[in-house]
Amino acid sequence: EDQVTQSPEALRLQEGESSSLNCSYTVSGLRGLFWYRQDPGKGPEFLFTLYSAGEEKEKERLKATLTKKESFLHITAPKPEDSATYLCAVQAGGTASKLTFGTGTRLQVTL
Amino acid sequence: KAGVTQTPRYLIKTRGQQVTLSCSPISGHRSVSWYQQTPGQGLQFLFEYFSETQRNKGNFPGRFSGRQFSNSRSEMNVSTLELGDSALYLCASKLQGAADTQYFGPGTRLTVL
């Protein structure tokens, strides 16, 4: 069975204090690993898709990386508007659209 | 381009009733998936529809069903509601390829009393 574990559950950073979120996964034949951001009461907002080990993608203060067992979401010099829950999900080969999600990391960035 | 839209945004029902939720995908997207999000279980896959056919199904009881119309719009139905069905129901659409990115709507918040 596909599994996704995210750590830490919650993270509090000061503005400008860089850090990384971890997503460990076990899946039979990774088709894709997805990062989403979710604000309270809203649907997940797409951030990145990674397909193979060694791949990296960047967007503003965020950078996602992928190995064969885990993915990291690096946040550089975060701002208060980066506060949200960050969700990691995997899609296994042969499962059409089914995404298996982790429980998320709740990030709070303070001034 | 307009995003995924879901209606209604909020619903309150009582146990035993049934409910129908609606999802309009991004224009041109042919695949629609449904997810249930609860504080205890997180996001869980319900089912996916593509070309009006259910292509994949998660581990939910038969009380949860769905359908897709020729314009790719989708509906999800829950019959005989239970208290545990209270959740945020999310719809996601994608073009059609297996590895295409899924884009989520704002969700329907269902409360069962």
Side-chain angles (χ1 to χ4, degrees), chain A residues 49-89:
Chain A
T49 306
L50 301 167
Y51 294 106
S52 57
E55 192 173 359
E56 298 182 353
K57 288 194 177 172
E58 282 187 76
K59 178 182 176 181
E60 296 180 354
R61 296 177 293 282
L62 300 176
K63 179 180 177 180
T65 61
L66 180 66
T67 72
K68 288 186 178 179
K69 293 184 178 180
E70 57 192 352
S71 176
F72 292 93
L73 185 65
H74 307 279
I75 303 177
T76 303
K79 298 182 178 181
E81 52 262 42
D82 294 323
S83 298
T85 295
Y86 290 83
L87 296 165
C88 171

Side-chain angles (χ1 to χ4, degrees), chain A residues 13-29:
Chain A
L13 299 173
Q14 285 197 319
E15 185 175 13
E17 181 186 2
S18 302
S19 188
S20 296
L21 312 182
N22 178 263
C23 170
S24 298
Y25 64 90
T26 55
V27 64
S28 50

Side-chain angles (χ1 to χ4, degrees), chain B:
Chain B
K1 219 176 198 182
V4 178
T5 58
Q6 293 187 243
T7 57
R9 293 294 313 280
Y10 303 92
L11 265 179
I12 299 176
K13 293 285 187 180
T14 56
R15 277 184 303 173
Q17 287 187 311
Q18 76 165 17
V19 67
T20 299
L21 313 181
S22 181
C23 170
S24 291
I26 292 170
S27 177
H29 286 195
R30 297 176 61 193
S31 164
V32 173
S33 296
W34 288 89
Y35 293 82
Q36 180 196 67
Q37 186 174 31
T38 59
Q41 299 295 321
L43 269 147
Q44 293 188 291
F45 174 78
L46 281 155
F47 31 65
E48 181 212 4
Y49 284 87
F50 176 77
S51 290
E52 301 177 65
T53 302
Q54 188 179 87
R55 188 157 72 170
N56 202 1
K57 189 176 187 303
N59 297 323
F60 279 82
R63 299 185 297 107
F64 292 82
S65 63
R67 60 177 176 168
Q68 186 181 35
F69 302 94
S70 57
N71 61 358
S72 295
R73 191 178 69 84
S74 177
E75 286 183 348
M76 184 190 121
N77 184 274
V78 188
S79 63
T80 319
L81 284 166
E82 300 177 358
L83 295 179
D85 296 333
S86 294
L88 181 67
Y89 289 89
L90 293 158
C91 165
S93 77
K94 69 177 186 180
L95 282 170
Q96 64 180 56
D100 288 336
T101 297
Q102 294 183 44
Y103 295 90
F104 284 83
T108 294
R109 170 72 63 186
L110 172 64
T111 301
V112 182
L113 302 176

